[in-house]
Amino acid sequence: IALIDSGVCNAGTSAIRGAVDFLLKHQTLDGPDAGSWPRELTTDEGETVDIPDLVRTTYAIQALIKAGKGIDEQPLQLAFVWLLGRRNENTKGWGYARGKSDALMPTCFALNALLDACDAYPGAYQTQIQESLQHLVEAYYHEGGDEVRGSFGALGPLQGIHTIYAALVLQIARANNLSRYPEQEKQAIEWLLRNPDKAIRLREEWVEIDQIQVTDGQTGGYGFMVMADTLLMKLLLGSESVDDKK
C-alpha cells in the first residue's frame, strides 16, 4: 500500500507482483473462514493454528485492489464474502472477533476496504457502505458540549485516534460521493484541532481476534500501534477547508 500510494512502485512492477503472490499464498481458501487472512499462533502443545484476523484481511484487500486485482476475481470475491459475513446484521458494524459486539475501529477498517473497492469500481458495495456509515455516525459520534462535540468513540486515551479514523472514513466516503455527513467530518477536525494533545501521540489499539482454537491462557490478541500525528496530517490535507490544509 505504501509503495503504491507514494508512487515509488506501480502495480506492474516485479516487487508488487511478488507482494501479491505472497498475500495470495497466505489467504485461507477453504472452511468457514475462506477468504480471510489469518494470524498464526502456536498453542501450548506446540501446534500452529490459523485464526482469522479482520485487520489483516482488510489491509490485504486494500493492497490487492491497489495492486490491480479485480473485485470479481476469486481472491477478492472470497475476501468480501468473508468480510460482509462478519458484519453484525442488526447494527451493520463489525467487531474484531466473531460473536463480539461491534466497535468503532474494526468498523472503520472494514469500511476502508469497502470504500477502496467502490473507488476502484464505482458503485461496488454502495448499499453496504451507506448502511455502515450511518451506524458509525449514529453509534459513535458525540454531539455534546465543546469538550466532546465532534469526537468519536469512548472518552479516554484512544478518543483522538478513534476520531481520526472515523473522520478519515467519512472523508474518503465524501470523495466517492457517498457521505451524508460533511458536518460530522468538519466537527471531528475542529475537535482534533482543539485537542492536539489527544491527536498527535503514538497509541496502541488492542485487537482481540477469534479464540475458538486457542488453548487456555492464550488470547490470540495483539497490540496495533498507530501514529496519530501522521494520520492527522493526512486528514487535514484532505479537508475541504483551506485553513485546515495550512
Side-chain angles (χ1 to χ4, degrees):
I1 294 174
L3 289 172
I4 294 175
D5 282 352
S6 65
V8 173
C9 295
N10 60 49
T13 62
S14 60
I16 299 301
R17 291 198 304 270
V20 168
D21 290 341
F22 174 85
L23 286 175
L24 296 180
K25 179 181 177 182
H26 288 82
Q27 185 182 26
T28 302
L29 297 178
D30 51 31
D33 291 302
S36 67
W37 274 264
R39 175 173 168 82
E40 186 178 277
L41 186 72
T42 302
T43 68
D44 292 338
E45 291 76 24
E47 298 179 357
T48 299
V49 295
D50 288 337
I51 304 175
D53 187 339
L54 181 137
V55 177
R56 293 184 182 208
T57 300
T58 57
Y59 273 112
I61 288 171
Q62 291 179 270
L64 291 175
I65 290 172
K66 290 180 183 293
K69 281 290 183 182
I71 61 173
D72 57 346
E73 296 182 52
Q74 185 183 31
L76 285 175
Q77 278 188 332
L78 282 174
F80 280 115
V81 167
W82 181 86
L83 184 63
L84 290 170
R86 291 290 294 266
R87 188 171 72 153
N88 185 321
E89 278 307 305
N90 293 321
T91 65
K92 309 303 181 184
W94 281 264
Y96 282 125
R98 181 181 280 108
K100 297 291 185 179
S101 299
D102 52 83
L104 183 145
M105 286 293 276
T107 298
C108 287
F109 285 130
L111 273 167
N112 278 330
L114 293 168
L115 284 164
D116 269 11
C118 190
D119 182 55
Y121 301 89
Y125 303 110
Q126 183 171 328
T127 299
Q128 293 91 336
I129 291 169
Q130 295 278 17
E131 292 171 342
S132 295
L133 285 174
Q134 181 178 347
H135 168 69
L136 179 67
V137 171
E138 291 182 352
Y140 302 110
Y141 178 73
H142 294 288
E143 297 180 342
D146 286 345
E147 184 178 349
V148 296
R149 187 180 68 251
S151 65
F152 282 79
L155 305 185
L158 291 175
Q159 188 177 8
I161 193 61
H162 286 180
T163 300
I164 292 172
Y165 260 88
L168 279 169
V169 166
L170 295 182
Q171 193 174 87
I172 296 167
R174 172 173 53 79
N176 285 278
N177 298 313
L178 291 172
S179 178
R180 303 168 183 164
Y181 309 101
E183 183 61 26
Q184 286 83 352
E185 178 192 338
K186 176 185 174 184
Q187 291 291 338
I189 292 174
E190 291 181 359
W191 181 87
L192 290 164
L193 293 176
R194 291 198 308 270
N195 297 274
D197 58 317
K198 298 181 180 180
I200 60 174
R201 296 181 179 178
L202 181 68
R203 296 296 188 189
E204 181 181 30
E205 169 87 1
W206 182 254
V207 179
E208 180 185 6
I209 58 179
D210 287 0
Q211 302 180 34
I212 296 172
Q213 295 177 304
V214 184
T215 56
D216 292 341
Q218 293 178 298
T219 67
Y222 60 92
F224 185 90
M225 302 301 295
V226 182
M227 298 290 291
D229 52 352
T230 302
L231 291 173
L232 178 60
M233 289 176 61
K234 180 179 179 181
L235 176 64
L236 294 176
L237 288 171
S239 171
E240 292 186 305
S241 168
V242 174
D243 290 336
D244 290 344
K245 295 177 188 291
K246 294 178 180 179

